[in-house]
Amino acid sequence: VTLELYRTDRSGPTQISALALRLPRGELLLVGRDVASRAAFDRTLAGALIWALAAMGALALVTGWLLARLVGRRIAEIDTAARGIMAGTLDRRIALHGSGDEFDRLASTLNAMLDRIEALVGDLRTVTDSLAHDLRSPLGRLVGHLRLACDDALPEEERLDRIARAQREAESVLATATGLLDIAR
């Protein structure tokens, strides 16, 4: 039971939590405790809890915002490098921060992949340059032989010789193309 009693040492009423006990001879014993200090402690504790929750919420928001900025910045670096590579700058690499985190491991893996791609593209350029050179000469000779074969002033025997030479050059180009197809397979 909660009662309001007046204490002699205070000017106003005080809340007391009381319990009445009947003693063996029939007297009634009232035992009470001042609950005002307990209520004040509870209010202080509730206020501290509210402030702690507000501080934790603010700290969580700030931490989340900082983490999102950090992750966003690292993803933007990878995105910028990838866009540069897609634009044809194959020597571009993703910066490592030296932290050893997942982003550094990802950047290291992507950089190794880009090194391999750059080497393969270089090899492909070498092969295509060689092929262009290997095909240009026989095609140039083929065109020359056909032009001469079309000349009406050329004797028939010379014309047939030019056509035969053009056919050999065409067969050489065809053999090179067949070899390329075999390599591609």
Side-chain angles (χ1 to χ4, degrees):
V1 177
T2 302
L3 305 171
E4 276 193 15
L5 297 177
Y6 287 90
R7 290 179 45 177
T8 56
D9 60 339
R10 294 198 182 152
S11 62
T14 300
Q15 291 223 341
I16 302 289
S17 180
L19 175 66
L21 298 172
R22 188 159 304 275
L23 295 175
R25 290 192 294 182
E27 296 105 354
L28 194 57
L29 175 65
L30 182 62
V31 179
R33 181 177 186 188
D34 185 352
V35 292
S37 60
R38 174 71 181 196
F41 175 76
D42 288 347
R43 284 190 303 274
T44 303
L45 186 60
L49 180 63
I50 289 170
W51 280 105
L53 288 174
M56 284 180 12
L59 185 61
L61 286 174
V62 169
T63 302
W65 179 74
L66 289 173
L67 186 60
R69 282 186 45 102
L70 173 70
V71 169
R73 189 174 10 190
R74 294 294 298 268
I75 289 174
E77 289 174 8
I78 294 171
D79 180 62
T80 301
R83 288 181 187 279
I85 292 162
M86 287 185 338
T89 312
L90 291 179
D91 61 345
R92 182 127 190 221
R93 296 296 178 265
I94 300 166
L96 297 175
H97 288 238
S99 62
D101 63 359
E102 289 79 9
F103 285 107
D104 269 1
R105 288 196 303 267
L106 176 63
S108 179
T109 301
L110 290 174
N111 287 341
M113 179 186 68
L114 292 169
D115 289 341
R116 180 72 176 130
I117 289 171
E118 186 177 22
L120 291 172
V121 168
D123 292 347
L124 183 62
R125 282 186 184 136
T126 302
V127 168
T128 55
D129 288 348
S130 296
L131 287 174
H133 179 19
D134 289 348
L135 289 175
R136 176 179 273 169
S137 298
L139 286 173
R141 289 190 298 268
L142 173 64
V143 168
H145 292 312
L146 289 173
R147 278 194 186 130
L148 286 174
C150 290
D151 185 4
D152 291 336
L154 203 62
E156 185 68 25
E157 185 178 308
E158 182 70 24
R159 203 182 274 180
L160 291 175
D161 181 52
R162 290 294 175 177
I163 291 173
R165 286 183 183 183
Q167 184 178 2
R168 284 193 298 274
E169 293 297 339
E171 288 170 358
S172 171
V173 170
L174 184 60
T176 302
T178 302
L180 288 174
L181 288 174
D182 290 341
I183 291 171
R185 285 188 201 123

